[in-house]
């Protein structure tokens, strides 16, 4: 019964994403947030495009609108057969049983027949190349990265590792040892001096002294931001679009006496910045609500350094947020590029001559990254690029682009300096 319940909760979440277009991060698993439920949800959403093609091909006719939950249930069953370690008979039996909870027992024959056919065809289905991304995204990524697109799609369809940033009060070796004593293995990352990549994800409460600020869960790519900005104790620094506060707290670790303003438009997410600062026992960060493309929150004092972690398509972190593949549309990219340009123009006015702005996105799309920065530099004569000399990612026309790999999320950085007049 429990496993059947896990599947019905998983189905409810899958329907929220597929049919109601809700993001996974906005959904709370009230009834069951077990590892099984979450793995069923993430797996089905991760391979949605492939599973949908398989199920749709096997159906003689599409289901009525009010029965699209049955279609989603078949995707859930197909995921288990093709990708999970659940025994086939349990995958089929427990999935078909969910129809009792939906009061749609009439569909048992249909769902059973489709899932058994997928089981019979599984060898052949596994041999087919299917990137399991929307067509427009496949086209764009293939076009931009003719030599790397397969790596991108493969990584996007893999569970991301859990990476943590160790507070400087510990040496990496000390904390690695503490983890090992708890049975948690972790590897260092050469380019990110505070990073440890865990062999397997764990609950944060299993991490030694997590609640008293020993570490922060943050991908190694994102951990490069603070060091690239080179904060100094005498600096006035703006972290624009700062929530949930990973980069803000990191800036404070590197320059504890700097004046840091953490800006975000979302009050709820700013609460997370506050909580993270409290966990690290930091009370010197100014937390401000405001839009980065406007100036009504600004007191007129120019910044030495600005970190702009720009709103973006998040196409570099699809492995962490597989629902992006269902929710993101081509027109969103156009709107995001426009918003990024507005924010860049606005924040540039707040930067001191001689100051540095670090532009960052967790995207792999060139329109949001090197093309965006090229346009910005072309439009002004008071901005120049500071080369990023890191053994990380690939050199692009401007800045550096990391494609998703085991150790790193897909990420882009460009470092800009404002000319002294």
């Amino acid at each position: 019964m429990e496993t059947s319940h896990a599947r019905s909760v998983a189905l409810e979440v899958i329907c929220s994403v597929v049919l109601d277009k809700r993001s996974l991060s906005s959904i709370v698993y009230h009834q069951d947030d077990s590892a099984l439920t979450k793995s069923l949800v993430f797996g089905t959403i991760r391979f949605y495009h492939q599973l949908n093609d398989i199920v749709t091909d096997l159906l003689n006719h599409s289901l009525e609108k009010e029965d699209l939950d049955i279609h989603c249930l078949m995707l859930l069953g197909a995921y288990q057969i093709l990708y999970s370690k659940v025994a086939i008979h349990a995958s089929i039996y427990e999935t078909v049983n969910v129809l009792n909870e939906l009061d749609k027992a009439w569909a048992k024959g249909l769902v059973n027949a489709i899932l058994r056919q997928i089981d019979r065809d599984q060898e052949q289905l596994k041999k087919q190349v299917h990137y399991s991304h929307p067509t427009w995204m496949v086209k764009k990524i293939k076009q931009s990265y003719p030599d790397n697109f397969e790596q991108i799609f493969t990584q996007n369809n893999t569970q991301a590792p859990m990476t943590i940033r160790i507070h400087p009060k510990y040496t990496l070796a000390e904390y690695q040892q503490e983890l090992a004593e708890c049975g948690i293995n972790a590897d260092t990352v050469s380019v990110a001096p505070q990073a440890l990549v865990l062999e397997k994800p764990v609950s944060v409460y299993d991490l030694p002294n997590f609640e008293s600020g020993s570490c922060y869960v943050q991908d190694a790519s994102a951990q490069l931001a603070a060091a690239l900005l080179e904060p100094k104790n005498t600096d006035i620094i703006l972290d624009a679009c700062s929530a949930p506060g990973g980069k803000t707290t990191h800036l404070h670790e590197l320059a504890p006496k700097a004046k840091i303003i953490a800006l975000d438009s979302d009050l709820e997410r700013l609460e997370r910045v506050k909580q993270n600062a409290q966990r690290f026992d930091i009370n010197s960060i100014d937390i401000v609500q405001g839009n980065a493309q406007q100036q009504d929150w600004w007191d007129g004092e120019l910044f030495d350094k600005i970190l702009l972690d720009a709103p973006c398509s998040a196409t570099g972190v699809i492995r962490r947020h597989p629902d992006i593949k269902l929710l993101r549309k081509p027109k969103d990219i156009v709107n995001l590029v426009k918003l990024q340009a507005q924010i860049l123009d606005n924040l540039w006015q707040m930067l001191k001559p001689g100051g540095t702005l670090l532009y960052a996105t967790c995207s792999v799309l060139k329109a949001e990254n090197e093309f965006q920065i090229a346009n910005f530099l072309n439009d002004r004569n008071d901005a120049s690029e500071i080369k990023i000399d890191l053994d990380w990612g690939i050199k692009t026309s401007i800045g550096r682009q990391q494609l998703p790999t085991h150790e790193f999320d897909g990420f882009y950085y460009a470092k800009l300096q404002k000319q002294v007049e």
Side-chain angles (χ1 to χ4, degrees):
M1 178 58 203
E2 267 183 31
T3 52
S4 184
H5 181 64
R7 284 168 178 80
S8 64
V9 174
L11 177 65
E12 204 177 302
V13 177
I14 292 161
C15 289
S16 292
V17 176
V18 174
L19 306 178
D20 305 333
K21 306 300 179 205
R22 286 184 61 194
S23 73
L24 277 172
S25 57
S26 73
I27 298 167
V28 179
Y29 298 71
H30 287 299
Q31 300 162 288
D32 179 353
D33 65 351
S34 66
L36 172 62
T37 304
K38 285 188 169 171
S39 73
L40 293 173
V41 168
F42 273 74
T44 305
I45 298 299
R46 187 169 281 134
F47 293 103
Y48 167 82
H49 292 86
Q50 179 189 18
L51 302 171
N52 189 48
D53 284 354
I54 291 168
V55 168
T56 305
D57 281 352
L58 290 172
L59 284 169
N60 294 330
H61 53 82
S62 51
L63 294 158
E64 297 295 325
K65 197 176 177 187
E66 63 270 21
D67 294 324
L68 288 177
D69 52 353
I70 298 172
H71 185 94
C72 290
L73 181 64
M74 289 188 268
L75 304 184
L76 172 58
Y79 163 71
Q80 293 166 78
I81 293 165
L82 296 173
Y83 289 105
S84 80
K85 291 177 180 156
V86 182
I88 299 295
H89 66 275
S91 298
I92 297 175
Y93 177 76
E94 300 287 358
T95 301
V96 169
N97 266 354
V98 172
L99 289 160
N100 293 331
E101 294 190 46
L102 295 179
D103 286 333
K104 293 184 179 180
W106 56 266
K108 279 186 172 185
L110 170 69
V111 173
N112 189 53
I114 296 285
L115 296 185
R116 290 197 181 282
Q117 188 61 52
I118 291 169
D119 180 29
R120 284 193 290 274
D121 296 344
Q122 64 169 297
E123 289 312 309
Q124 184 193 333
L125 291 169
K126 282 174 180 172
K127 282 179 194 156
Q128 292 172 359
V129 174
H130 198 301
Y131 299 122
S132 212
H133 282 63
T135 310
W136 71 268
M137 208 181 274
V138 171
K139 199 172 159 189
K140 217 176 247 302
I141 289 173
K142 275 186 165 182
Q143 210 176 359
S144 297
Y145 302 103
D147 301 328
N148 311 92
F149 66 86
E150 287 190 343
Q151 172 200 330
I152 297 170
F153 296 138
T154 302
Q155 281 293 330
N156 285 355
N157 292 334
T158 309
Q159 187 182 349
M162 180 174 178
T163 304
I164 53 177
R165 185 186 83 231
I166 311 308
H167 194 279
K169 63 187 171 186
Y170 294 87
T171 68
L172 222 50
E174 279 169 353
Y175 199 78
Q176 208 170 4
Q177 182 59 37
E178 287 198 26
L179 287 171
E181 284 164 15
C182 302
I184 301 168
N185 294 327
D187 292 320
T188 56
V189 180
S190 58
V191 76
Q194 290 173 252
L196 287 175
V197 182
L198 307 192
E199 192 177 62
K200 291 186 187 125
V202 297
S203 159
V204 289
Y205 301 111
D206 293 338
L207 299 168
N209 304 311
F210 177 80
E211 288 180 83
S212 54
S214 62
C215 60
Y216 186 92
V217 178
Q218 185 181 42
D219 182 77
S221 282
Q223 289 190 37
L224 302 178
L228 282 170
L229 200 58
E230 299 179 76
K232 296 192 170 45
N233 280 322
T234 51
D235 284 338
I236 302 169
I237 304 170
L238 172 67
D239 183 359
C241 315
S242 64
K247 298 180 186 72
T248 316
T249 52
H250 197 186
L251 286 165
H252 182 273
E253 285 169 14
L254 300 186
K257 292 188 176 141
K259 182 181 176 183
I260 300 172
I261 288 89
L263 176 76
D264 207 275
S265 59
D266 188 327
L267 201 54
E268 218 170 284
R269 280 170 57 77
L270 274 178
E271 198 52 45
R272 299 265 308 281
V273 181
K274 201 177 287 179
Q275 288 162 3
N276 282 315
Q278 281 167 352
R279 189 166 62 80
F280 285 111
D281 198 21
I282 302 168
N283 46 30
S284 57
I285 292 170
D286 291 339
I287 295 173
V288 177
Q289 185 187 13
N291 289 320
Q293 69 271 35
Q294 290 164 4
Q295 296 194 359
D296 52 3
W297 53 269
W298 181 45
D299 65 4
E301 189 171 23
L302 294 173
F303 297 101
D304 297 287
K305 311 261 165 76
I306 296 177
L307 170 56
L308 168 53
D309 189 359
C312 72
S313 63
T315 43
V317 291
I318 283 174
R319 60 190 187 170
R320 297 185 190 280
H321 306 282
D323 49 325
I324 288 166
K325 293 191 280 186
L326 279 80
L327 304 179
R328 194 69 73 222
K329 299 285 177 272
K331 69 172 187 299
D332 298 337
I333 310 303
V334 177
N335 294 334
L336 283 163
V337 167
K338 206 178 290 180
L339 176 62
Q340 290 158 357
Q342 287 169 354
I343 293 174
L344 262 169
D345 281 337
N346 186 49
L347 297 184
W348 195 251
Q349 297 167 51
M350 303 178 185
L351 187 64
K352 275 183 192 169
T356 306
L357 183 146
L358 183 68
Y359 177 84
T361 75
C362 54
S363 168
V364 296
L365 302 182
K366 294 190 175 194
E368 300 179 271
N369 296 341
E370 57 186 296
F371 297 168
Q372 178 73 269
I373 300 301
N375 288 338
F376 178 78
L377 291 172
N378 284 340
D379 288 347
R380 1 187 35 97
N381 51 18
D382 63 345
S384 61
E385 182 193 4
I386 302 170
K387 298 284 179 209
I388 293 173
D389 184 23
L390 268 188
D391 184 18
W392 172 87
I394 49 179
K395 175 79 186 83
T396 45
S397 56
I398 296 163
R400 284 194 88 84
Q401 175 74 60
Q402 177 64 260
L403 304 176
T405 66
H406 172 66
E407 284 182 333
F408 296 106
D409 281 348
F411 232 83
Y412 174 82
Y413 284 115
K415 196 171 174 180
L416 308 174
Q417 185 166 41
K418 194 171 197 176
Q419 301 305 309
V420 179
E421 287 158 17

